[in-house]
């Protein structure tokens, strides 16, 4: 308990210093000024609303795309599967800042510059390789016999995915969704 109290005090020192310095000149009116006035012509609360919109839609889109891709790479045999999967994994080595200039030109040309869609797509594009890797590994851990028995009963691959594998993958989907919200 003493150790935890010491660690709490150490963490509280910078926060106390920030609050003390922010109240030195004009007191609480600094906070009311920021919250009540426009910053760059936009109300401050709008920044929070934009962040929530971008994070939620990017998370939903990423989970949808990566769940389909992870399932396909794990359970469906098709020509070039290993080659395509390895190419997706190679994209993990590409740093996000390297993509800023090409994405800027693409979005500017497509008239998507300064829109929610551009931000959501950018966040998804950067995170897709990680999400595909994560969900493929999760689907690899689920037995293929589930799909084989469903196929014997007449279920299609889509039906197997949406009725069997997707409900079983809720923990991995939630994990990926939460990570995407945090990264957004």
């Amino acid at each position: 308990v003493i150790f935890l109290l010491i660690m709490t005090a150490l963490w509280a020192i910078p926060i106390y210093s920030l609050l003390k310095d922010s109240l030195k000149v004009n007191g609480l009116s600094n906070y009311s000024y920021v919250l009540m006035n426009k910053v760059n012509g936009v109300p401050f609360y709008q920044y929070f609303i934009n962040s929530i919109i971008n994070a939620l839609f990017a998370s939903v889109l990423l989970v949808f795309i990566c769940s389909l891709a992870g399932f396909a790479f794990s359970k469906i045999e098709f020509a070039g599967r290993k080659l395509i999967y390895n190419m997706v994994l190679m994209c993990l080595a590409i740093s996000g800042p390297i993509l800023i200039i090409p994405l800027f030109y693409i979005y500017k040309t497509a008239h998507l510059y300064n829109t929610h869609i551009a931000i959501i797509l950018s966040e998804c594009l950067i995170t897709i390789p990680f999400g595909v890797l994560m969900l493929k590994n999760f689907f690899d851990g689920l037995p293929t016999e589930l799909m084989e028995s469903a196929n014997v009963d007449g279920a299609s691959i889509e039906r197997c995915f949406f009725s069997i594998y997707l409900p079983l993958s809720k923990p991995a989907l939630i994990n990926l969704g939460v990570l995407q919200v945090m990264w957004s």
Side-chain angles (χ1 to χ4, degrees):
V1 172
I2 293 171
F3 174 75
L4 291 176
L5 290 173
I6 292 170
M7 293 306 292
T8 303
L10 289 174
W11 278 66
I13 290 171
I15 295 171
Y16 168 75
S17 176
L18 285 171
L19 285 173
K20 182 182 69 146
D21 290 345
S22 71
L23 297 172
K24 267 185 186 174
V25 180
N26 298 334
L28 287 175
S29 64
N30 294 332
Y31 289 100
S32 65
Y33 177 80
V34 169
L35 294 174
M36 300 300 174
N37 294 319
K38 293 183 177 184
V39 180
N40 296 327
V42 178
F44 191 71
Y45 65 86
Q46 188 65 42
Y47 292 116
F48 290 108
I49 294 170
N50 290 343
S51 295
I52 291 169
I53 290 169
N54 292 337
L56 290 179
F57 280 104
S59 178
V60 168
L61 182 63
L62 180 80
V63 167
F64 178 72
I65 291 170
C66 291
S67 64
L68 291 172
F71 177 76
F73 286 129
S74 176
K75 302 296 180 191
I76 301 172
E77 294 288 334
F78 58 90
R81 177 176 77 156
K82 289 184 180 181
L83 175 68
I84 296 170
Y85 180 67
N86 287 333
M87 290 173 64
V88 169
L89 288 185
M90 282 190 276
C91 291
L92 284 170
I94 299 172
S95 176
I98 291 173
L99 299 173
I100 289 175
I101 293 173
L103 286 175
F104 171 78
Y105 284 118
I106 290 169
Y107 293 146
K108 190 77 167 173
T109 305
H111 304 291
L112 292 175
Y113 179 70
N114 205 15
T115 63
H116 288 291
I117 295 170
I119 295 171
I120 291 167
L121 290 177
S122 298
E123 290 175 353
C124 287
L125 289 173
I126 292 169
T127 316
I128 280 176
F130 172 77
V132 170
L133 171 69
M134 181 179 150
L135 292 179
K136 182 204 177 288
N137 289 337
F138 184 83
F139 285 123
D140 283 345
L142 296 176
T144 308
E145 290 81 13
L146 293 172
M147 190 163 66
E148 292 170 355
S149 64
N151 287 338
V152 168
D153 291 338
S156 64
I157 292 175
E158 295 85 11
R159 177 80 178 187
C160 291
F161 173 70
F162 287 110
S163 297
I164 299 171
Y165 285 98
L166 199 60
L168 290 174
S169 65
K170 281 181 187 174
L173 298 176
I174 291 170
N175 187 10
L176 182 60
V178 168
L179 285 173
Q180 179 63 21
V181 167
M182 288 179 5
W183 292 333
S184 294

